[in-house]
Amino acid sequence: MQQSCCCGREDLPWSGRGTGLDISGCRFSLYPMDTDFVPIILGALEHTDTSAVWSESDALSTVYRGRLPYVADAVRGLFVNAYKPGIHMALEGQFSKGCPGDCDGDSLLDFDDPAPNSQVREKGFPALCKLALYPMGVRDYIDHIAGVYRMAQDAGLHPESIHYATRISGDIHQIFDYLEQVCRRMEQAVPHYILHFTVSVNSPTKEEEL
């Protein structure tokens, strides 16, 4: 996809940047609601194989950059590795590709082996997720948003339109499969997209049956 015409303006802070490489990214923060949250986070980072992505963590978040299948694999791996039965935990993040302020560096694109965290698929559990898709640089953005809503229906994720987001529910791997499929669809359809999401497990919030 080509970048939209506004991205090349010389008055923008990122003027002169951009990349034509196949770089997808996800920046996220993990929140275990437990007094032992530090070992949970550090343990998950340690047990997640990031050999297929470029990664960096700071006080606010972690970012994975590389080819989409491996980025999605690493994010999934980290969340599943952090999961503890009975402990409320959330992962907040955004997948993105095509940002005009991106660069060719800080990426790993030559990995071509099977996804290194595929073994986490053996561990499943129910989860909730809210997401908001932002297709950038296109006039028909609302049709793209409606399309991924229908994708959630087809996947049996029980989508519900809530204020400023869409809510879905299902097995954790159904949810991560869906998020990756949305990213794949957007890569083919728009020059730049952001998929903001929050995944939650073991929430203590009581909800009425619909």
PDB file of all heavy atoms in Angstrom, residues 107-141:
ATOM      1  N   SER A 107      14.394  -3.411  13.804  1.00  0.00           N
ATOM      2  CA  SER A 107      13.484  -4.449  13.315  1.00  0.00           C
ATOM      3  C   SER A 107      14.280  -5.707  13.000  1.00  0.00           C
ATOM      4  O   SER A 107      15.498  -5.667  12.822  1.00  0.00           O
ATOM      5  CB  SER A 107      12.751  -3.982  12.057  1.00  0.00           C
ATOM      6  OG  SER A 107      13.665  -3.705  11.012  1.00  0.00           O
ATOM      7  N   LEU A 108      13.577  -6.822  12.962  1.00  0.00           N
ATOM      8  CA  LEU A 108      14.174  -8.105  12.606  1.00  0.00           C
ATOM      9  C   LEU A 108      13.272  -8.720  11.541  1.00  0.00           C
ATOM     10  O   LEU A 108      12.127  -9.057  11.828  1.00  0.00           O
ATOM     11  CB  LEU A 108      14.273  -9.007  13.839  1.00  0.00           C
ATOM     12  CG  LEU A 108      15.229 -10.209  13.772  1.00  0.00           C
ATOM     13  CD1 LEU A 108      15.535 -10.735  15.163  1.00  0.00           C
ATOM     14  CD2 LEU A 108      14.660 -11.329  12.923  1.00  0.00           C
ATOM     15  N   LEU A 109      13.794  -8.851  10.321  1.00  0.00           N
ATOM     16  CA  LEU A 109      12.969  -9.286   9.201  1.00  0.00           C
ATOM     17  C   LEU A 109      13.479 -10.537   8.504  1.00  0.00           C
ATOM     18  O   LEU A 109      12.832 -11.026   7.578  1.00  0.00           O
ATOM     19  CB  LEU A 109      12.863  -8.156   8.162  1.00  0.00           C
ATOM     20  CG  LEU A 109      12.242  -6.851   8.653  1.00  0.00           C
ATOM     21  CD1 LEU A 109      12.330  -5.783   7.578  1.00  0.00           C
ATOM     22  CD2 LEU A 109      10.797  -7.071   9.079  1.00  0.00           C
ATOM     23  N   ASP A 110      14.619 -11.082   8.944  1.00  0.00           N
ATOM     24  CA  ASP A 110      15.198 -12.219   8.233  1.00  0.00           C
ATOM     25  C   ASP A 110      14.895 -13.562   8.891  1.00  0.00           C
ATOM     26  O   ASP A 110      15.396 -14.596   8.468  1.00  0.00           O
ATOM     27  CB  ASP A 110      16.706 -12.048   8.079  1.00  0.00           C
ATOM     28  CG  ASP A 110      17.420 -11.862   9.412  1.00  0.00           C
ATOM     29  OD1 ASP A 110      16.737 -11.849  10.463  1.00  0.00           O
ATOM     30  OD2 ASP A 110      18.662 -11.732   9.398  1.00  0.00           O
ATOM     31  N   PHE A 111      14.058 -13.568   9.948  1.00  0.00           N
ATOM     32  CA  PHE A 111      13.667 -14.826  10.589  1.00  0.00           C
ATOM     33  C   PHE A 111      12.631 -15.513   9.713  1.00  0.00           C
ATOM     34  O   PHE A 111      11.669 -14.894   9.268  1.00  0.00           O
ATOM     35  CB  PHE A 111      13.092 -14.546  11.977  1.00  0.00           C
ATOM     36  CG  PHE A 111      12.970 -15.765  12.842  1.00  0.00           C
ATOM     37  CD1 PHE A 111      13.991 -16.148  13.686  1.00  0.00           C
ATOM     38  CD2 PHE A 111      11.817 -16.540  12.815  1.00  0.00           C
ATOM     39  CE1 PHE A 111      13.881 -17.278  14.498  1.00  0.00           C
ATOM     40  CE2 PHE A 111      11.684 -17.655  13.611  1.00  0.00           C
ATOM     41  CZ  PHE A 111      12.722 -18.036  14.452  1.00  0.00           C
ATOM     42  N   ASP A 112      12.821 -16.798   9.453  1.00  0.00           N
ATOM     43  CA  ASP A 112      11.907 -17.503   8.545  1.00  0.00           C
ATOM     44  C   ASP A 112      11.571 -18.905   9.030  1.00  0.00           C
ATOM     45  O   ASP A 112      11.154 -19.749   8.252  1.00  0.00           O
ATOM     46  CB  ASP A 112      12.521 -17.567   7.141  1.00  0.00           C
ATOM     47  CG  ASP A 112      11.458 -17.790   6.057  1.00  0.00           C
ATOM     48  OD1 ASP A 112      10.309 -17.368   6.272  1.00  0.00           O
ATOM     49  OD2 ASP A 112      11.776 -18.401   5.027  1.00  0.00           O
ATOM     50  N   ASP A 113      11.754 -19.154  10.316  1.00  0.00           N
ATOM     51  CA  ASP A 113      11.444 -20.453  10.900  1.00  0.00           C
ATOM     52  C   ASP A 113      10.030 -20.449  11.478  1.00  0.00           C
ATOM     53  O   ASP A 113       9.386 -19.401  11.526  1.00  0.00           O
ATOM     54  CB  ASP A 113      12.463 -20.792  11.992  1.00  0.00           C
ATOM     55  CG  ASP A 113      13.845 -21.062  11.420  1.00  0.00           C
ATOM     56  OD1 ASP A 113      13.918 -21.498  10.252  1.00  0.00           O
ATOM     57  OD2 ASP A 113      14.844 -20.814  12.128  1.00  0.00           O
ATOM     58  N   PRO A 114       9.541 -21.607  11.926  1.00  0.00           N
ATOM     59  CA  PRO A 114       8.219 -21.627  12.561  1.00  0.00           C
ATOM     60  C   PRO A 114       8.163 -20.678  13.759  1.00  0.00           C
ATOM     61  O   PRO A 114       9.181 -20.396  14.402  1.00  0.00           O
ATOM     62  CB  PRO A 114       8.050 -23.085  12.994  1.00  0.00           C
ATOM     63  CG  PRO A 114       8.925 -23.850  12.053  1.00  0.00           C
ATOM     64  CD  PRO A 114      10.097 -22.970  11.777  1.00  0.00           C
ATOM     65  N   ALA A 115       6.971 -20.194  14.069  1.00  0.00           N
ATOM     66  CA  ALA A 115       6.798 -19.275  15.194  1.00  0.00           C
ATOM     67  C   ALA A 115       7.325 -19.909  16.474  1.00  0.00           C
ATOM     68  O   ALA A 115       6.925 -21.026  16.827  1.00  0.00           O
ATOM     69  CB  ALA A 115       5.327 -18.911  15.345  1.00  0.00           C
ATOM     70  N   PRO A 116       8.229 -19.234  17.180  1.00  0.00           N
ATOM     71  CA  PRO A 116       8.922 -19.877  18.308  1.00  0.00           C
ATOM     72  C   PRO A 116       8.085 -20.073  19.562  1.00  0.00           C
ATOM     73  O   PRO A 116       8.503 -20.800  20.460  1.00  0.00           O
ATOM     74  CB  PRO A 116      10.098 -18.924  18.582  1.00  0.00           C
ATOM     75  CG  PRO A 116       9.663 -17.614  18.058  1.00  0.00           C
ATOM     76  CD  PRO A 116       8.789 -17.899  16.883  1.00  0.00           C
ATOM     77  N   ASN A 117       6.917 -19.446  19.648  1.00  0.00           N
ATOM     78  CA  ASN A 117       6.092 -19.602  20.848  1.00  0.00           C
ATOM     79  C   ASN A 117       4.821 -20.406  20.596  1.00  0.00           C
ATOM     80  O   ASN A 117       3.853 -20.304  21.351  1.00  0.00           O
ATOM     81  CB  ASN A 117       5.729 -18.216  21.399  1.00  0.00           C
ATOM     82  CG  ASN A 117       6.940 -17.452  21.876  1.00  0.00           C
ATOM     83  OD1 ASN A 117       7.512 -17.753  22.920  1.00  0.00           O
ATOM     84  ND2 ASN A 117       7.366 -16.463  21.092  1.00  0.00           N
ATOM     85  N   SER A 118       4.833 -21.225  19.554  1.00  0.00           N
ATOM     86  CA  SER A 118       3.619 -21.963  19.185  1.00  0.00           C
ATOM     87  C   SER A 118       3.164 -22.931  20.273  1.00  0.00           C
ATOM     88  O   SER A 118       1.991 -23.304  20.326  1.00  0.00           O
ATOM     89  CB  SER A 118       3.845 -22.724  17.879  1.00  0.00           C
ATOM     90  OG  SER A 118       4.925 -23.625  18.001  1.00  0.00           O
ATOM     91  N   GLN A 119       4.078 -23.326  21.162  1.00  0.00           N
ATOM     92  CA  GLN A 119       3.708 -24.284  22.206  1.00  0.00           C
ATOM     93  C   GLN A 119       2.695 -23.706  23.190  1.00  0.00           C
ATOM     94  O   GLN A 119       1.993 -24.456  23.881  1.00  0.00           O
ATOM     95  CB  GLN A 119       4.948 -24.769  22.961  1.00  0.00           C
ATOM     96  CG  GLN A 119       5.529 -23.788  23.961  1.00  0.00           C
ATOM     97  CD  GLN A 119       6.320 -22.665  23.318  1.00  0.00           C
ATOM     98  OE1 GLN A 119       6.584 -22.678  22.120  1.00  0.00           O
ATOM     99  NE2 GLN A 119       6.742 -21.693  24.119  1.00  0.00           N
ATOM    100  N   VAL A 120       2.570 -22.384  23.262  1.00  0.00           N
ATOM    101  CA  VAL A 120       1.613 -21.807  24.213  1.00  0.00           C
ATOM    102  C   VAL A 120       0.181 -22.104  23.812  1.00  0.00           C
ATOM    103  O   VAL A 120      -0.741 -21.957  24.626  1.00  0.00           O
ATOM    104  CB  VAL A 120       1.810 -20.278  24.376  1.00  0.00           C
ATOM    105  CG1 VAL A 120       3.208 -19.970  24.870  1.00  0.00           C
ATOM    106  CG2 VAL A 120       1.492 -19.528  23.097  1.00  0.00           C
ATOM    107  N   ARG A 121      -0.044 -22.525  22.567  1.00  0.00           N
ATOM    108  CA  ARG A 121      -1.394 -22.864  22.134  1.00  0.00           C
ATOM    109  C   ARG A 121      -1.964 -24.062  22.892  1.00  0.00           C
ATOM    110  O   ARG A 121      -3.161 -24.314  22.857  1.00  0.00           O
ATOM    111  CB  ARG A 121      -1.417 -23.138  20.632  1.00  0.00           C
ATOM    112  CG  ARG A 121      -1.235 -21.886  19.780  1.00  0.00           C
ATOM    113  CD  ARG A 121      -1.284 -22.221  18.304  1.00  0.00           C
ATOM    114  NE  ARG A 121      -1.240 -21.039  17.464  1.00  0.00           N
ATOM    115  CZ  ARG A 121      -2.306 -20.359  17.049  1.00  0.00           C
ATOM    116  NH1 ARG A 121      -3.510 -20.761  17.414  1.00  0.00           N
ATOM    117  NH2 ARG A 121      -2.185 -19.290  16.291  1.00  0.00           N
ATOM    118  N   GLU A 122      -1.104 -24.806  23.552  1.00  0.00           N
ATOM    119  CA  GLU A 122      -1.567 -25.949  24.343  1.00  0.00           C
ATOM    120  C   GLU A 122      -2.273 -25.497  25.621  1.00  0.00           C
ATOM    121  O   GLU A 122      -2.929 -26.296  26.292  1.00  0.00           O
ATOM    122  CB  GLU A 122      -0.380 -26.851  24.697  1.00  0.00           C
ATOM    123  CG  GLU A 122       0.340 -27.428  23.478  1.00  0.00           C
ATOM    124  CD  GLU A 122       1.595 -28.185  23.846  1.00  0.00           C
ATOM    125  OE1 GLU A 122       1.885 -28.288  25.072  1.00  0.00           O
ATOM    126  OE2 GLU A 122       2.295 -28.662  22.934  1.00  0.00           O
ATOM    127  N   LYS A 123      -2.135 -24.238  25.994  1.00  0.00           N
ATOM    128  CA  LYS A 123      -2.724 -23.701  27.221  1.00  0.00           C
ATOM    129  C   LYS A 123      -3.791 -22.680  26.848  1.00  0.00           C
ATOM    130  O   LYS A 123      -3.487 -21.614  26.318  1.00  0.00           O
ATOM    131  CB  LYS A 123      -1.630 -23.034  28.062  1.00  0.00           C
ATOM    132  CG  LYS A 123      -2.108 -22.456  29.384  1.00  0.00           C
ATOM    133  CD  LYS A 123      -0.927 -21.817  30.120  1.00  0.00           C
ATOM    134  CE  LYS A 123      -1.347 -21.202  31.434  1.00  0.00           C
ATOM    135  NZ  LYS A 123      -0.184 -20.569  32.133  1.00  0.00           N
ATOM    136  N   GLY A 124      -5.035 -23.012  27.107  1.00  0.00           N
ATOM    137  CA  GLY A 124      -6.125 -22.107  26.758  1.00  0.00           C
ATOM    138  C   GLY A 124      -6.926 -21.695  27.980  1.00  0.00           C
ATOM    139  O   GLY A 124      -6.929 -22.398  29.005  1.00  0.00           O
ATOM    140  N   PHE A 125      -7.609 -20.581  27.881  1.00  0.00           N
ATOM    141  CA  PHE A 125      -8.462 -20.080  28.965  1.00  0.00           C
ATOM    142  C   PHE A 125      -9.354 -18.989  28.397  1.00  0.00           C
ATOM    143  O   PHE A 125      -9.022 -18.344  27.391  1.00  0.00           O
ATOM    144  CB  PHE A 125      -7.625 -19.537  30.135  1.00  0.00           C
ATOM    145  CG  PHE A 125      -6.474 -18.664  29.723  1.00  0.00           C
ATOM    146  CD1 PHE A 125      -6.645 -17.306  29.478  1.00  0.00           C
ATOM    147  CD2 PHE A 125      -5.210 -19.203  29.569  1.00  0.00           C
ATOM    148  CE1 PHE A 125      -5.592 -16.509  29.108  1.00  0.00           C
ATOM    149  CE2 PHE A 125      -4.131 -18.406  29.185  1.00  0.00           C
ATOM    150  CZ  PHE A 125      -4.326 -17.053  28.949  1.00  0.00           C
ATOM    151  N   PRO A 126     -10.520 -18.747  29.016  1.00  0.00           N
ATOM    152  CA  PRO A 126     -11.440 -17.724  28.500  1.00  0.00           C
ATOM    153  C   PRO A 126     -10.914 -16.320  28.767  1.00  0.00           C
ATOM    154  O   PRO A 126     -10.235 -16.067  29.772  1.00  0.00           O
ATOM    155  CB  PRO A 126     -12.732 -17.995  29.275  1.00  0.00           C
ATOM    156  CG  PRO A 126     -12.291 -18.680  30.524  1.00  0.00           C
ATOM    157  CD  PRO A 126     -11.078 -19.475  30.153  1.00  0.00           C
ATOM    158  N   ALA A 127     -11.242 -15.405  27.857  1.00  0.00           N
ATOM    159  CA  ALA A 127     -10.775 -14.030  27.992  1.00  0.00           C
ATOM    160  C   ALA A 127     -11.799 -13.071  27.397  1.00  0.00           C
ATOM    161  O   ALA A 127     -12.651 -13.464  26.591  1.00  0.00           O
ATOM    162  CB  ALA A 127      -9.420 -13.849  27.304  1.00  0.00           C
ATOM    163  N   LEU A 128     -11.699 -11.824  27.801  1.00  0.00           N
ATOM    164  CA  LEU A 128     -12.474 -10.734  27.230  1.00  0.00           C
ATOM    165  C   LEU A 128     -11.522  -9.787  26.512  1.00  0.00           C
ATOM    166  O   LEU A 128     -10.356  -9.679  26.871  1.00  0.00           O
ATOM    167  CB  LEU A 128     -13.222  -9.969  28.323  1.00  0.00           C
ATOM    168  CG  LEU A 128     -14.219 -10.749  29.172  1.00  0.00           C
ATOM    169  CD1 LEU A 128     -14.734  -9.870  30.308  1.00  0.00           C
ATOM    170  CD2 LEU A 128     -15.371 -11.234  28.310  1.00  0.00           C
ATOM    171  N   CYS A 129     -12.036  -9.081  25.518  1.00  0.00           N
ATOM    172  CA  CYS A 129     -11.196  -8.150  24.778  1.00  0.00           C
ATOM    173  C   CYS A 129     -12.052  -7.000  24.262  1.00  0.00           C
ATOM    174  O   CYS A 129     -13.182  -7.208  23.821  1.00  0.00           O
ATOM    175  CB  CYS A 129     -10.510  -8.862  23.609  1.00  0.00           C
ATOM    176  SG  CYS A 129      -9.510  -7.805  22.536  1.00  0.00           S
ATOM    177  N   LYS A 130     -11.526  -5.800  24.360  1.00  0.00           N
ATOM    178  CA  LYS A 130     -12.128  -4.673  23.651  1.00  0.00           C
ATOM    179  C   LYS A 130     -11.102  -4.162  22.655  1.00  0.00           C
ATOM    180  O   LYS A 130      -9.897  -4.208  22.908  1.00  0.00           O
ATOM    181  CB  LYS A 130     -12.582  -3.563  24.595  1.00  0.00           C
ATOM    182  CG  LYS A 130     -11.488  -2.829  25.329  1.00  0.00           C
ATOM    183  CD  LYS A 130     -12.079  -1.688  26.139  1.00  0.00           C
ATOM    184  CE  LYS A 130     -11.027  -0.969  26.965  1.00  0.00           C
ATOM    185  NZ  LYS A 130     -10.037  -0.237  26.144  1.00  0.00           N
ATOM    186  N   LEU A 131     -11.583  -3.689  21.507  1.00  0.00           N
ATOM    187  CA  LEU A 131     -10.667  -3.231  20.477  1.00  0.00           C
ATOM    188  C   LEU A 131     -11.265  -2.052  19.733  1.00  0.00           C
ATOM    189  O   LEU A 131     -12.484  -1.882  19.667  1.00  0.00           O
ATOM    190  CB  LEU A 131     -10.350  -4.362  19.504  1.00  0.00           C
ATOM    191  CG  LEU A 131     -11.548  -4.981  18.774  1.00  0.00           C
ATOM    192  CD1 LEU A 131     -11.448  -4.705  17.284  1.00  0.00           C
ATOM    193  CD2 LEU A 131     -11.618  -6.473  19.030  1.00  0.00           C
ATOM    194  N   ALA A 132     -10.377  -1.238  19.206  1.00  0.00           N
ATOM    195  CA  ALA A 132     -10.774  -0.106  18.374  1.00  0.00           C
ATOM    196  C   ALA A 132      -9.804  -0.048  17.201  1.00  0.00           C
ATOM    197  O   ALA A 132      -8.589   0.016  17.397  1.00  0.00           O
ATOM    198  CB  ALA A 132     -10.741   1.195  19.165  1.00  0.00           C
ATOM    199  N   LEU A 133     -10.349  -0.097  15.991  1.00  0.00           N
ATOM    200  CA  LEU A 133      -9.539  -0.100  14.774  1.00  0.00           C
ATOM    201  C   LEU A 133      -9.546   1.287  14.145  1.00  0.00           C
ATOM    202  O   LEU A 133     -10.598   1.920  14.017  1.00  0.00           O
ATOM    203  CB  LEU A 133     -10.104  -1.120  13.781  1.00  0.00           C
ATOM    204  CG  LEU A 133      -9.462  -1.143  12.397  1.00  0.00           C
ATOM    205  CD1 LEU A 133      -8.014  -1.626  12.476  1.00  0.00           C
ATOM    206  CD2 LEU A 133     -10.269  -2.026  11.450  1.00  0.00           C
ATOM    207  N   TYR A 134      -8.367   1.737  13.728  1.00  0.00           N
ATOM    208  CA  TYR A 134      -8.222   3.037  13.075  1.00  0.00           C
ATOM    209  C   TYR A 134      -7.545   2.846  11.718  1.00  0.00           C
ATOM    210  O   TYR A 134      -6.313   2.817  11.634  1.00  0.00           O
ATOM    211  CB  TYR A 134      -7.406   3.990  13.953  1.00  0.00           C
ATOM    212  CG  TYR A 134      -8.000   4.170  15.331  1.00  0.00           C
ATOM    213  CD1 TYR A 134      -7.542   3.408  16.401  1.00  0.00           C
ATOM    214  CD2 TYR A 134      -9.036   5.073  15.548  1.00  0.00           C
ATOM    215  CE1 TYR A 134      -8.094   3.559  17.668  1.00  0.00           C
ATOM    216  CE2 TYR A 134      -9.594   5.225  16.812  1.00  0.00           C
ATOM    217  CZ  TYR A 134      -9.122   4.465  17.872  1.00  0.00           C
ATOM    218  OH  TYR A 134      -9.673   4.609  19.112  1.00  0.00           O
ATOM    219  N   PRO A 135      -8.320   2.684  10.642  1.00  0.00           N
ATOM    220  CA  PRO A 135      -7.745   2.621   9.303  1.00  0.00           C
ATOM    221  C   PRO A 135      -7.421   4.049   8.846  1.00  0.00           C
ATOM    222  O   PRO A 135      -8.307   4.898   8.761  1.00  0.00           O
ATOM    223  CB  PRO A 135      -8.861   2.012   8.457  1.00  0.00           C
ATOM    224  CG  PRO A 135      -9.942   1.591   9.422  1.00  0.00           C
ATOM    225  CD  PRO A 135      -9.771   2.466  10.613  1.00  0.00           C
ATOM    226  N   MET A 136      -6.164   4.310   8.553  1.00  0.00           N
ATOM    227  CA  MET A 136      -5.716   5.661   8.264  1.00  0.00           C
ATOM    228  C   MET A 136      -5.525   5.875   6.766  1.00  0.00           C
ATOM    229  O   MET A 136      -5.155   4.952   6.036  1.00  0.00           O
ATOM    230  CB  MET A 136      -4.391   5.939   8.984  1.00  0.00           C
ATOM    231  CG  MET A 136      -4.398   5.573  10.457  1.00  0.00           C
ATOM    232  SD  MET A 136      -5.529   6.587  11.449  1.00  0.00           S
ATOM    233  CE  MET A 136      -4.601   8.111  11.524  1.00  0.00           C
ATOM    234  N   GLY A 137      -5.768   7.112   6.337  1.00  0.00           N
ATOM    235  CA  GLY A 137      -5.462   7.495   4.970  1.00  0.00           C
ATOM    236  C   GLY A 137      -6.466   7.040   3.932  1.00  0.00           C
ATOM    237  O   GLY A 137      -6.156   7.027   2.741  1.00  0.00           O
ATOM    238  N   VAL A 138      -7.672   6.654   4.363  1.00  0.00           N
ATOM    239  CA  VAL A 138      -8.700   6.216   3.418  1.00  0.00           C
ATOM    240  C   VAL A 138     -10.030   6.874   3.787  1.00  0.00           C
ATOM    241  O   VAL A 138     -10.313   7.125   4.960  1.00  0.00           O
ATOM    242  CB  VAL A 138      -8.857   4.681   3.404  1.00  0.00           C
ATOM    243  CG1 VAL A 138      -7.624   4.009   2.816  1.00  0.00           C
ATOM    244  CG2 VAL A 138      -9.130   4.139   4.813  1.00  0.00           C
ATOM    245  N   ARG A 139     -10.853   7.152   2.775  1.00  0.00           N
ATOM    246  CA  ARG A 139     -12.148   7.786   3.019  1.00  0.00           C
ATOM    247  C   ARG A 139     -13.196   6.796   3.532  1.00  0.00           C
ATOM    248  O   ARG A 139     -14.117   7.156   4.258  1.00  0.00           O
ATOM    249  CB  ARG A 139     -12.649   8.449   1.739  1.00  0.00           C
ATOM    250  CG  ARG A 139     -11.789   9.627   1.266  1.00  0.00           C
ATOM    251  CD  ARG A 139     -12.378  10.249   0.017  1.00  0.00           C
ATOM    252  NE  ARG A 139     -11.578  11.372  -0.459  1.00  0.00           N
ATOM    253  CZ  ARG A 139     -11.679  12.615  -0.011  1.00  0.00           C
ATOM    254  NH1 ARG A 139     -12.568  12.897   0.928  1.00  0.00           N
ATOM    255  NH2 ARG A 139     -10.908  13.570  -0.502  1.00  0.00           N
ATOM    256  N   ASP A 140     -13.058   5.523   3.129  1.00  0.00           N
ATOM    257  CA  ASP A 140     -14.068   4.526   3.482  1.00  0.00           C
ATOM    258  C   ASP A 140     -13.696   3.773   4.758  1.00  0.00           C
ATOM    259  O   ASP A 140     -13.963   2.578   4.890  1.00  0.00           O
ATOM    260  CB  ASP A 140     -14.275   3.555   2.322  1.00  0.00           C
ATOM    261  CG  ASP A 140     -13.001   2.819   1.919  1.00  0.00           C
ATOM    262  OD1 ASP A 140     -11.898   3.261   2.324  1.00  0.00           O
ATOM    263  OD2 ASP A 140     -13.101   1.798   1.215  1.00  0.00           O
ATOM    264  N   TYR A 141     -13.100   4.467   5.719  1.00  0.00           N
ATOM    265  CA  TYR A 141     -12.617   3.817   6.939  1.00  0.00           C
ATOM    266  C   TYR A 141     -13.728   3.079   7.675  1.00  0.00           C
ATOM    267  O   TYR A 141     -13.505   2.006   8.255  1.00  0.00           O
ATOM    268  CB  TYR A 141     -11.960   4.839   7.864  1.00  0.00           C
ATOM    269  CG  TYR A 141     -12.915   5.844   8.457  1.00  0.00           C
ATOM    270  CD1 TYR A 141     -13.526   5.614   9.694  1.00  0.00           C
ATOM    271  CD2 TYR A 141     -13.226   7.017   7.779  1.00  0.00           C
ATOM    272  CE1 TYR A 141     -14.410   6.520  10.232  1.00  0.00           C
ATOM    273  CE2 TYR A 141     -14.114   7.932   8.312  1.00  0.00           C
ATOM    274  CZ  TYR A 141     -14.701   7.690   9.535  1.00  0.00           C
ATOM    275  OH  TYR A 141     -15.593   8.587  10.068  1.00  0.00           O
TER     276      TYR A 141
END
